Amino acid sequence: MKYGITLLALLFIACGYVPVASYSDKFFGEGVYVEITMDPQLPEASVGAKDAINLAVLTRFNNTLSSKQSAHSVIDVRVLSVSSTPVAYDENGFISHYRATVNLSFKVQNINGATMSASTSGYYDYPASSTSALLIEEAKLGAVSNATIQALDKFISQMAYYGAQQEQKQTQKQEEAQDLPSTKK
């Protein structure tokens, strides 16, 4: 068992695995403020999006939430659209399932003035077979929440990719700076 854990740790180190938080730390700095522009047609989705993003800042980016004045970075999130489209029908031709789709836009700016923008979308299917409109609406809100989390996961992946690119550029600049004095000799 001891050798299995050691082997697993060695594989993670050897493959170059780096957690998302290590890339985002360099960009975000200390403290993040999340600002959200609400969708007036579905304010519950906007509130759910803010909660999901705040949770991601704490858990996925391993950072802290701050006031706008003291934050080193600001994430501006806009709910571009929330829609439901039929995806399945029953044998009588009635809609049995809908797909909730959420489109989000992110603009991140840090204290140094660097910005990163991304647009993502997520979707989630929910049943519409109940005769109660209340149950269908509850299922829709749950689907919108799950679609928002999926869109947020895509943003987190894009943020990690952006952070990796920035780190690579910085490494290349440092290597070029070290090579310059030796070429002048």
Side-chain angles (χ1 to χ4, degrees):
M1 184 64 181
K2 219 184 226 188
Y3 295 112
I5 292 173
T6 305
L7 181 62
L8 186 63
L10 183 61
L11 284 175
F12 270 129
I13 293 169
C15 75
Y17 171 76
V18 179
V20 170
S22 68
Y23 291 124
S24 63
D25 277 352
K26 294 174 183 125
F27 185 82
F28 284 136
E30 289 295 319
V32 177
Y33 177 75
V34 176
E35 187 170 11
I36 189 154
T37 303
M38 299 282 193
D39 181 358
Q41 293 183 345
L42 199 58
E44 298 89 358
S46 299
V47 171
K50 182 164 174 102
D51 290 344
I53 293 163
N54 285 343
L55 185 62
V57 166
L58 295 170
T59 59
R60 305 280 292 279
F61 292 134
N62 199 23
N63 211 315
T64 58
L65 297 169
S66 300
S67 67
K68 193 169 187 175
Q69 295 77 21
S70 64
H72 285 198
S73 295
V74 175
I75 302 175
D76 181 16
V77 184
R78 295 181 188 276
V79 178
L80 299 176
S81 67
V82 177
S83 63
S84 290
T85 53
V87 291
Y89 297 87
D90 65 12
E91 62 276 351
N92 297 320
F94 293 106
I95 299 169
S96 63
H97 285 82
Y98 283 97
R99 173 167 288 165
T101 304
V102 176
N103 293 302
L104 302 176
S105 170
F106 297 88
K107 183 177 180 186
V108 184
Q109 185 170 6
N110 69 11
I111 199 166
N112 300 325
T115 60
M116 182 255 187
S117 297
S119 292
T120 62
S121 64
Y123 67 89
Y124 196 84
D125 296 343
Y126 64 97
S129 56
S130 175
T131 56
S132 169
L134 186 62
L135 290 176
I136 294 173
E137 189 64 25
E138 188 176 304
K140 178 182 178 181
L141 287 175
V144 167
S145 176
N146 285 321
T148 301
I149 290 169
Q150 187 183 71
L152 178 61
D153 285 343
K154 291 177 183 178
F155 166 70
I156 290 168
S157 297
Q158 289 176 341
M159 191 71 211
Y161 180 73
Y162 178 79
Q165 282 183 320
Q166 296 300 74
E167 186 175 284
Q168 186 178 22
K169 286 178 185 176
Q170 191 175 30
T171 302
Q172 286 175 345
K173 283 181 183 179
Q174 289 173 350
E175 288 173 356
E176 289 172 2
Q178 289 174 352
D179 289 344
L180 283 177
S182 62
T183 58
K184 290 181 181 179
K185 289 182 180 179

